[in-house]
């Protein structure tokens, strides 16, 4: 089937279908319809513009109404958050300060303990001083008795040591001397000799 | 020469109308109403009653003639409007048929029954018309404008708003479709 055959067939088919019914275009009706279309188009444009303006107005009003409380609420919320953060920070700083202070106190206490441990015991010092004093008195008494033959003064000095430091070791030494002196008085014959031990070489236990 | 004179006349009518002379539009209607009706009849598948489409076409022309810049001929412009109106009409008719599909099926079967009585020739041409009606709209428009309206290819392409190549493609496909459906008919005629 060629293009011409198709064209011919189509034309014959069109011809046999007959012409359409006569169309009388009613111009007055057409103008009325055109007028209505124009009116509708104008009204639609006006309505669309009005709707647009109203929408913009509502939107701007809504935006205004929304804008005013929102920042205030946000500011209030932010202030609350800042306050909360400040409170948290203050509490944390306080805790840190307390921990640091406690640490400082602990270190100070440790230093004081060390310092305290380094300080000698005063009672021991006093005991040493007492011992030294008692030794000096016994030494002086021994010199009175053995070197100067002042037996009466020596006995007084020994008794003074026993009176002042009764529990001291030199008080015991003084008692032994007094006992020797008493024994020598009883024996009379016993000559005065060297002391059994040299006081000069004896040193108090420090 | 005749075409150029016609074109000048049409341009003059358009200018007159734009100056407010309503009689110019009456002249346009008088000159083109039959052509528009014929084209609409062919595009819609020869229904016969094409008054609504023709009225709508001239209404659109009346409303839009002030925007017409004479870049194409008045006939081409009116044909373009007609094609668009036919497309709209077909679309509306399709929606209507979809909505009342049962009634449409009954009407279709009745029309088939009534078509049994005529002679073989009229039956054969009815088959041709049915085949053309069954073509997709874009192929049918090309076939009607090219073969039935006998318009030049340039003008058809301009009316349909497509390139010449696209038009050729559509015409080729339409011919293939017609050959396929009308092969028996052509063999018996030959």
């Amino acid at each position: 089937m060629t293009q011409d055959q198709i064209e011919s067939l189509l034309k014959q088919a069109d011809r046999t279908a007959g012409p359409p019914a006569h169309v009388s275009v009613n111009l007055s009706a057409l103008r009325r319809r055109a007028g209505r279309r124009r009116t509708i188009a104008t009204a639609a444009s006006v309505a669309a513009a009005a709707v647009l303006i109203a929408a913009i107005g509502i939107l701007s009003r809504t935006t205004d109404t929304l804008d005013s409380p929102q920042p205030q609420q946000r500011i209030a919320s932010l202030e609350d958050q800042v306050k909360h953060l400040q409170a948290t920070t203050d509490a944390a700083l306080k805790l840190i300060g307390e921990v640091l202070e406690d640490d400082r106190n602990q270190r100070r206490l440790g230093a004081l303990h060390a310092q305290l441990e380094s300080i000698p015991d005063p009672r021991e010092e006093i005991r040493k001083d007492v011992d030294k004093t008692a030794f000096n008195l016994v030494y002086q008494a021994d010199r009175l008795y053995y070197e100067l033959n002042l037996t009466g003064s020596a006995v007084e000095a020994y008794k003074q040591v026993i009176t002042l430091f009764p529990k001291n070791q030199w008080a015991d030494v003084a008692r032994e001397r007094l006992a020797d002196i008493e024994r020598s008085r009883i024996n009379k014959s016993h000559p005065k000799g060297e002391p059994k031990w040299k006081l000069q070489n004896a040193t108090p236990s420090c | 020469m005749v075409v150029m004179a016609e074109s000048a006349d049409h341009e003059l009518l358009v200018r007159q109308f734009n100056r407010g002379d309503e009689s110019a539009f009456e002249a346009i209607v008088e000159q083109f109403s039959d052509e528009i009706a014929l084209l609409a009849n062919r595009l819609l598948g020869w229904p016969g009653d094409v008054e609504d489409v023709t009225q709508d076409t001239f209404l659109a022309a009346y409303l839009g003639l002030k925007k017409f810049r004479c870049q194409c001929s008045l006939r081409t412009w009116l044909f373009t409007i007609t094609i668009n109106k036919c497309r709209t009409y077909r679309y509306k008719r399709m929606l209507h048929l979809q909505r009342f599909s049962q009634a449409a099926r009954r009407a279709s079967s009745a029309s088939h029954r009534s078509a049994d009585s005529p002679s073989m020739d009229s039956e054969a041409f009815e088959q041709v018309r049915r085949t053309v009606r069954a073509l997709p709209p874009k192929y049918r428009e090309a076939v009607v404008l090219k073969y039935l309206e006998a318009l030049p290819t340039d003008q058809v392409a301009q009316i349909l708003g497509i390139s010449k190549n696209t038009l050729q493609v559509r015409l080729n496909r339409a011919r293939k479709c017609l050959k396929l459906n009308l092969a028996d008919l052509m063999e018996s005629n030959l």
Side-chain angles (χ1 to χ4, degrees):
Chain A
M1 189 187 289
T2 62
Q3 189 174 336
D4 292 338
Q5 284 174 328
I6 289 172
E7 192 173 346
S8 169
L9 191 64
L10 286 171
K11 280 183 177 169
Q12 283 179 34
D14 180 52
R15 209 176 300 124
T16 51
H22 179 67
V23 176
S24 60
V25 179
N26 190 342
L27 284 168
S28 57
L30 197 131
R31 287 192 190 101
R32 278 200 303 276
R33 283 180 71 188
R36 275 204 302 274
R37 284 274 182 93
R38 282 177 184 146
T39 308
I40 289 166
T42 310
S45 303
V46 170
V51 167
L52 191 64
I53 289 165
I56 290 168
I58 290 166
L59 188 67
S60 64
R61 255 185 122 174
T62 311
T63 312
D64 287 345
T65 50
L66 284 173
D67 276 351
S68 50
Q70 265 188 350
Q72 286 181 357
Q73 285 177 356
R74 277 192 76 186
I75 288 166
S77 171
L78 286 169
E79 281 178 353
D80 287 345
Q81 286 179 6
V82 168
K83 279 179 187 171
H84 180 68
L85 282 170
Q86 276 181 344
T88 311
T89 310
D90 288 345
L93 284 171
K94 193 179 172 184
L95 184 66
I96 290 166
E98 284 176 359
V99 169
L100 287 171
E101 185 64 28
D102 188 50
D103 186 51
R104 273 197 295 273
N105 286 338
Q106 287 289 337
R107 276 187 286 170
R108 202 178 296 146
L109 190 64
L112 284 171
H113 274 298
Q115 195 178 353
L116 191 63
E117 282 173 5
S118 67
I119 293 170
D121 189 357
R123 288 176 300 176
E124 186 66 21
E125 291 293 311
I126 290 166
R127 194 189 60 77
K128 283 179 182 174
D129 286 345
V130 166
D131 207 28
K132 195 173 179 179
T133 306
F135 167 76
N136 285 333
L137 285 172
V138 171
Y139 178 76
Q140 291 298 326
D142 279 348
R143 284 191 68 186
L144 288 170
Y145 180 66
Y146 291 107
E147 289 179 12
L148 300 172
N149 286 320
L150 297 171
T151 306
S153 297
V155 168
E156 288 296 320
Y158 288 132
K159 283 181 180 177
Q160 193 179 2
V161 172
I162 291 164
T163 306
L164 291 174
F165 313 107
K167 292 181 181 177
N168 193 270
Q169 58 175 335
W170 297 109
D172 294 337
V173 173
R175 283 188 196 99
E176 281 181 16
R177 295 285 193 273
L178 285 172
D180 286 339
I181 291 167
E182 191 63 30
R183 270 194 298 272
S184 64
R185 274 184 188 169
I186 292 168
N187 291 331
K188 292 283 188 175
S189 56
H190 187 270
K192 212 188 287 185
E194 290 291 318
K196 291 179 182 174
W197 36 272
K198 296 276 181 186
L199 278 176
Q200 289 85 351
N201 297 330
T203 53
S205 61
C206 297
Chain B
M1 207 54 185
V2 174
V3 174
M4 283 180 70
E6 268 187 2
S7 181
D9 286 348
H10 295 156
E11 207 172 321
L12 190 66
L13 285 171
V14 172
R15 281 180 189 168
Q16 279 178 354
F17 177 78
N18 287 340
R19 279 200 294 267
D21 185 1
E22 292 281 330
S23 64
F25 190 74
E26 287 175 21
I28 291 168
V29 169
E30 196 177 341
Q31 195 170 340
F32 290 104
S33 59
D34 289 341
E35 281 187 76
I36 298 296
L38 195 60
L39 176 63
N41 189 40
R42 286 164 176 167
L43 287 169
L44 296 176
W46 297 274
D49 185 15
V50 291
E51 190 164 351
D52 287 346
V53 175
T54 312
Q55 290 279 358
D56 286 346
T57 303
F58 281 112
L59 176 63
Y62 184 81
L63 291 168
L65 200 58
K66 284 183 179 175
K67 295 174 188 171
F68 181 58
R69 294 282 170 267
C70 299
Q71 289 171 342
C72 60
S73 71
L74 188 60
R75 176 181 276 105
T76 305
W77 186 64
L78 287 171
F79 276 18
T80 308
I81 294 172
T82 309
I83 284 178
N84 288 330
K85 291 297 169 190
C86 286
R87 286 172 183 169
T88 308
Y89 182 84
R90 279 198 303 266
Y91 180 68
K92 284 179 181 173
R93 192 171 58 179
M94 185 188 74
L95 291 179
H96 185 264
L97 286 173
Q98 278 179 350
R99 197 175 296 167
F100 303 102
S101 55
Q102 287 181 343
R105 257 184 247 124
R106 279 198 296 270
S108 174
S109 60
S111 68
H112 279 296
R113 278 196 300 274
S114 64
D116 288 343
S117 51
S119 65
M120 275 305 290
D121 281 351
S122 64
E123 171 61 24
F125 292 131
E126 180 56 34
Q127 189 184 340
V128 174
R129 287 193 289 271
R130 273 204 304 271
T131 308
V132 174
R133 269 200 299 268
L135 286 173
K138 56 183 182 182
Y139 298 157
R140 187 165 67 238
E141 288 165 2
V143 164
V144 167
L145 290 171
K146 177 68 182 169
Y147 298 128
L148 299 179
E149 294 293 335
L151 294 173
T153 308
D154 295 354
Q155 208 171 341
V156 174
Q158 194 178 14
I159 288 168
L160 294 176
I162 56 176
S163 67
K164 284 184 199 173
N165 288 334
T166 310
L167 177 64
Q168 290 300 337
V169 169
R170 286 184 186 181
L171 285 171
N172 278 330
R173 288 178 183 171
R175 277 197 300 269
K176 275 184 187 174
C177 194
L178 288 170
K179 277 180 195 172
L180 192 70
N181 289 294
L182 301 175
D184 299 339
L185 188 67
M186 291 302 293
E187 279 172 11
S188 61
N189 279 350
L190 290 170

